[in-house]
């Protein structure tokens, strides 16, 4: 009996081994080619593998990692190490590999792109160092990286993926107050603007782009801030709904450009004051809700050369915008998750549509807004795209959404199921961008370690596809419904 049990166990073990395989790999620095030690390789099995497999290995000094005794099937690998563009970045290296049963180990070659940095000093117009200035390295529609200038005005923006950045400086109210000076001849108060892009502009479109290459350090990048005349703005806010002083929060922001994001609570009198700001055109933002994604009513003002006092602002009644996601009848129960997005260039809020496609935005201020949608692809399903957005007879995608006080017509978002896709070759770690016929970037992705990319869910039509900011080598394509087009991209860098 014992002999039979022993043979049975050995047979089961041999059978299990025959249905398993091994996945090995090497991680290298894409710039130097050297192996990278200490990389966290995280393996996740495809949904078809039951029970699911999740494992983690750390690469050796030779950059090697290995996952043994894996059930046959498809796996996804993600890689993480500080100082490299890893899988935590949008479009970072994500490798798909297939393990064959009782076959030679499946080997993958992974190349990690080292991040870059920008460093220098923050100085005033006389060359004196400024400590405590907050600096942001910004990219469109991406998370910013931040640092604060230290002693001697020194700063270092690090962990930057290869890309083009715009540098934003923010000077806190306390630092503006501490560094303000009164001009002896005019008695005018002089100081720093709350927010400016390098080289001293308030509009991101006028900011100087800064290119960061893989593994590089851009040193000696000194930033000079110049004192300008400062004024004050004050007044009262009235609530149109209650006819009482407005009790929400208020923020002041340049008409164009970035604000410091500071929202101040209004007391029972509705009074507000903003001082130590440069003269110019601004928007007063009034929030009824203190939530982080709350939308604000915008009231434009002009301070004039000497400031504005006694402003009287009436905050209108906010409203509710409802809508529904529409899909073809044959896919009505399989459309997946869709986020509806309401924005106006400065503010944005997203809500997830319910299972029946309905969605609602509460507390929306009257004004001109844009409506968008982001369909989420489902495994095994054809990618979606937004075919049209309507509000009654109005084409919201082209004309925008006019939100009025009181009741507004529902919004309809129509999803198309014949999405196009594009795949191709590009230098590993490069940023592949897809722009529509108007030049707007509608999708982007970082090329995989093997130098490939695949972007799906695109609306059929005319596009230009290029790497980074290298528009001069863009490839023009007409993407057709339900078809994946192939392209090879070149970088402007030698």
């Amino acid at each position: 009996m014992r002999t039979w049990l022993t043979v049975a166990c050995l047979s089961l073990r041999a059978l299990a081994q025959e249905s398993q395989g091994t996945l090995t790999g090497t991680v290298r620095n894409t710039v130097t080619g050297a192996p990278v030690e200490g990389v966290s390789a995280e393996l996740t099995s495809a949904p078809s593998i039951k029970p699911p497999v999740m494992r983690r290995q750390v690469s050796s000094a030779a950059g090697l990692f290995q996952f043994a005794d894996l059930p046959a099937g498809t796996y996804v690998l993600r890689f993480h190490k500080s100082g490299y563009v890893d899988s935590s970045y949008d479009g970072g290296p994500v490798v798909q590999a297939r393990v064959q049963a009782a076959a030679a180990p499946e080997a993958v070659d992974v190349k990690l792109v080292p991040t870059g940095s920008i460093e220098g000093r923050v100085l005033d117009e006389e060359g004196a160092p400024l400590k405590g200035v907050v600096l942001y390295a910004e990219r469109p529609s991406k998370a910013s990286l931040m640092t604060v200038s230290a002693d001697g005005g020194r700063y270092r923006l690090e962990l930057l993926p290869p890309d083009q950045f715009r540098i934003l400086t923010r000077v806190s109210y306390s630092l503006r107050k501490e560094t303000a000076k009164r001009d002896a001849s005019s008695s005018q108060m002089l100081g720093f603007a709350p927010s400016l892009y390098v080289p001293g502009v308030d509009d991101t479109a006028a900011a100087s782009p800064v290119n960061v290459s893989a593994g590089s350090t851009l040193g000696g990048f000194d930033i000079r801030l110049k004192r300008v005349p400062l004024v004050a703005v004050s007044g009262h806010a009235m609530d149109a709904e209650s006819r009482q002083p407005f009790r929400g929060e208020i923020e002041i922001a340049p008409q164009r450009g970035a604000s410091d994001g500071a929202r101040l609570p209004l007391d029972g009198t509705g009074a507000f004051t903003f001082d130590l700001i440069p003269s110019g055109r601004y928007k007063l933002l009034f929030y009824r809700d203190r939530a982080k994604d709350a939308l604000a009513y915008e009231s434009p003002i002009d301070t004039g050369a000497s400031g504005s006092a006694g402003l009287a602002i009436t905050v209108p009644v906010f409203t509710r915008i409802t809508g529904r996601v529409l899909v073809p009848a044959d896919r009505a129960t399989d459309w997946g998750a869709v986020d509806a997005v309401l924005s106006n260039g400065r503010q944005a809020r997203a809500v997830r549509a319910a299972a029946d496609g309905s969605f609602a935005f509460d507390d929306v201020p009257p004004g001109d807004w844009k409506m968008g949608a982001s369909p989420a692809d489902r495994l095994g399903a054809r990618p979606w795209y937004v075919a049209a957005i309507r509000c009654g007879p109005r084409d919201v995608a082209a004309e925008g959404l006019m939100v009025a006080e009181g009741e507004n017509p529902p919004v309809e978002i129509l999803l198309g199921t014949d999405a196009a896709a594009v795949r191709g070759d590009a230098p590993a770690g490069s940023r592949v961008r897809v722009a529509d016929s108007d030049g707007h970037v509608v999708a982007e992705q970082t090329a995989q370690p093997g130098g490939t990319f695949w972007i799906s869910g695109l609306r059929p039509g005319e596009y230009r596809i290029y790497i980074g900011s290298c528009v001069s080598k863009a490839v023009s394509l007409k993407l057709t419904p339900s078809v994946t087009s192939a392209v090879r991209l070149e970088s402007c860098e030698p």
Side-chain angles (χ1 to χ4, degrees), residues 355-404:
D356 64 354
S358 63
F359 62 86
F361 291 91
D362 292 315
D363 295 326
V364 178
D368 294 331
W369 295 87
K370 293 181 179 180
M371 178 73 78
S374 176
D377 295 346
R378 294 180 59 180
L379 188 64
R382 181 184 296 177
W384 307 108
Y385 69 94
V386 178
I389 304 177
R390 299 188 294 260
C391 183
R394 190 179 183 87
D395 182 353
V396 174
E399 304 173 43
L401 180 67
M402 294 181 62
V403 176

Side-chain angles (χ1 to χ4, degrees), residues 246-251 263 285-292 294-297 318 347:
F246 187 72
R247 290 179 172 271
E249 295 183 328
I250 185 173
E251 176 186 352
R263 288 159 56 171
L285 309 180
F286 294 91
Y287 299 87
R288 290 186 178 274
D289 190 338
R290 296 186 178 183
K292 186 177 181 181
L295 301 175
Y297 170 68
F318 287 16
Q347 308 176 66

Side-chain angles (χ1 to χ4, degrees), residues 278-319:
S279 60
R281 295 181 177 179
Y282 291 85
K283 287 185 178 181
L284 294 176
L285 309 180
F286 294 91
Y287 299 87
R288 290 186 178 274
D289 190 338
R290 296 186 178 183
K292 186 177 181 181
D293 65 345
L295 301 175
Y297 170 68
E298 301 184 355
S299 178
I301 63 169
D302 191 333
T303 68
S306 57
S308 299
L311 296 175
I313 309 294
T314 299
V315 182
V317 178
F318 287 16
T319 188

Side-chain angles (χ1 to χ4, degrees), residues 239-255:
D239 191 331
E241 185 170 18
S242 66
R243 306 309 302 173
Q244 298 293 322
F246 187 72
R247 290 179 172 271
E249 295 183 328
I250 185 173
E251 176 186 352
I252 189 168
Q255 189 81 15

